[in-house]
Structure formats: C-alpha cells, structure tokens
Amino acid sequence: MSELIALLLLIAGIWYWQDTAIAREIALRQCRRSCRELGLQLLDQTVERTRSHLIRINGGPRVLRREYRFEFTTTGEQRYAGFICIVRRQVQDLHLDLPGEAKDGHAAPHQLFLQPEQQEH
C-alpha cells in the first residue's frame, strides 16, 4: 500500500512540474507579445512565479492559479513591474505598471490591465 501512495505522489509531482513549466511558457510568450505590441522591452526575457494557489471560478471545482512577475522598460533606463496570471493554461489577466506624468512634471506610474484573447494550448 505504501508503494502505491509513493507512486501516486510521484505521478502528482511530475504532473505539477510539467504543468507549471507549460504555464510558465504561456506566461512568457504572452508577456513577450504584449510588450512587443505596446512598444515595450521585456527585461531579462523571463517571468518569475510569485504565487500558486487554488481558486474557485463561478462556483466550479477548484483550479490552480499561477501568478508571475516580470520587468519591462519603455526607454531602457528604468525598470517597471508587470504581473500575469495563468489559470487552466490560459491568461486570466495581465497587469503593467506603466510610467505616466504627474501634474508637477515628474514621472508617475499608471496601471494598464489587459484581458488577452483566448490563448492557444
């Protein structure tokens, strides 16, 4: 019986690792695409997973939500933060802290939320 439990845990671990790798690739691809379309530069060409947790959508079964952080620049001089969330291998939302200009002439961040279209699997 303990061998069966160990085998099931191993299978679950392999599934989680593989699914996380796929979600990370989806996040990175969408970040690259969004930065390119907005004329931004994705820095370090990477995303960093900051959180994974279970959520319930519309009262359905719990699903895994993965949140990633990335950095981008508008001019190459300053770094800005972005966040992307993946649920069921689809982008749930994408958030960019874009620089703006305050009334006093100094840079002030404003936020852009993108709801990307249906993602490929």
Side-chain angles (χ1 to χ4, degrees):
M1 183 61 123
S2 63
E3 292 93 12
L4 179 60
I5 292 171
L7 180 62
L8 290 175
L9 287 174
L10 178 65
I11 290 170
I14 291 170
W15 170 85
Y16 178 79
W17 175 79
Q18 183 180 21
D19 197 56
T20 297
I22 291 169
R24 182 186 173 284
E25 283 301 313
I26 292 168
L28 184 56
R29 190 176 329 126
Q30 183 63 47
C31 289
R32 283 181 181 145
R33 182 181 304 134
S34 295
C35 284
R36 184 177 55 248
E37 289 173 0
L38 294 170
L40 306 171
Q41 179 183 358
L42 178 64
L43 296 175
D44 306 324
Q45 296 300 308
T46 190
V47 294
E48 171 190 11
R49 187 167 38 108
T50 57
R51 186 174 179 199
S52 294
H53 61 282
L54 294 173
I55 63 168
R56 191 173 299 227
I57 299 175
N58 298 328
R62 292 183 185 266
V63 294
L64 196 54
R65 173 184 164 112
R66 293 178 177 92
E67 300 173 7
Y68 297 87
R69 178 184 184 281
F70 62 95
E71 292 184 327
F72 65 93
T73 185
T74 57
T75 62
E77 294 178 16
Q78 217 170 359
R79 290 179 174 257
Y80 298 99
F83 304 91
I84 187 167
C85 299
I86 306 293
V87 176
R88 292 184 182 150
R89 296 186 180 180
Q90 293 184 349
V91 176
Q92 186 179 40
D93 59 73
L94 177 66
H95 171 104
L96 300 170
D97 285 333
L98 292 171
E101 192 170 304
K103 291 180 182 177
D104 61 3
H106 291 89
H110 66 278
Q111 300 173 341
L112 174 66
F113 295 93
L114 302 175
Q115 294 279 333
E117 303 139 16
Q118 196 76 335
Q119 301 300 307
E120 63 236 30
H121 294 275

